[in-house]
Amino acid sequence: MRRHLQPRMSVWRIGAGTDVAVESAGIVLVRSDPRDVVGAIELSRASYRKMIQNLVWATAYNLIAIPVAAGLLVRWRIDLPMSVGAIAMSTSTIIVALNAQLLRRLRIVHRETKVSR
């Protein structure tokens, strides 16, 4: 006995196009104020600066910490216990996280623009 199966129908939603616009947009304005685009650009620039700062910090830390962990300073009788390395590694992570949290202090100022006629 053969069963006759019906083909599955796809579910389509038709709206005002808002979903498509939101998915394809680089920036979505919640309010209808075009000055918010300037604020978004300021926020993205500040975020990029923080990424560079954290990258520089992590690179400098690793340039110092990796040779010390490898034992290159033992020749001069400088041998650090593993617990000091673990504390230094945790401290580095905390410093990077705190630096990223400083973005919360960013104040985006809306500048008034004059429209010439």
Side-chain angles (χ1 to χ4, degrees), residues 14-15 23 27 38 72 75-76 79 91 106:
I14 299 176
E23 298 235 357
I27 297 174
V38 175
L72 292 180
R75 179 183 304 169
W76 296 281
D79 187 23
T91 304
L106 179 67

Side-chain angles (χ1 to χ4, degrees), residues 49-66:
R49 282 193 304 271
K50 283 296 174 191
M51 286 188 328
I52 296 299
Q53 289 172 4
N54 287 337
L55 181 63
V56 167
W57 164 254
T59 301
Y61 168 79
N62 285 324
L63 284 174
I64 294 169
I66 291 174

Side-chain angles (χ1 to χ4, degrees), residues 3-89:
R3 291 176 126 180
H4 191 284
L5 299 175
Q6 290 183 342
R8 223 177 220 180
M9 299 296 284
S10 297
V11 178
W12 289 84
R13 291 188 320 170
I14 299 176
T18 306
D19 295 336
V20 175
V22 167
E23 298 235 357
S24 64
I27 297 174
V28 177
L29 296 177
V30 178
R31 300 178 300 175
S32 57
D33 187 1
R35 292 178 297 180
D36 288 342
V37 173
V38 175
I41 292 171
E42 288 178 14
L43 178 61
S44 68
R45 287 180 179 160
S47 298
Y48 184 76
R49 282 193 304 271
K50 283 296 174 191
M51 286 188 328
I52 296 299
Q53 289 172 4
N54 287 337
L55 181 63
V56 167
W57 164 254
T59 301
Y61 168 79
N62 285 324
L63 284 174
I64 294 169
I66 291 174
V68 170
L72 292 180
L73 300 178
V74 173
R75 179 183 304 169
W76 296 281
R77 296 183 185 185
I78 299 174
D79 187 23
L80 299 175
M82 286 189 280
S83 59
V84 173
I87 291 171
M89 189 170 144

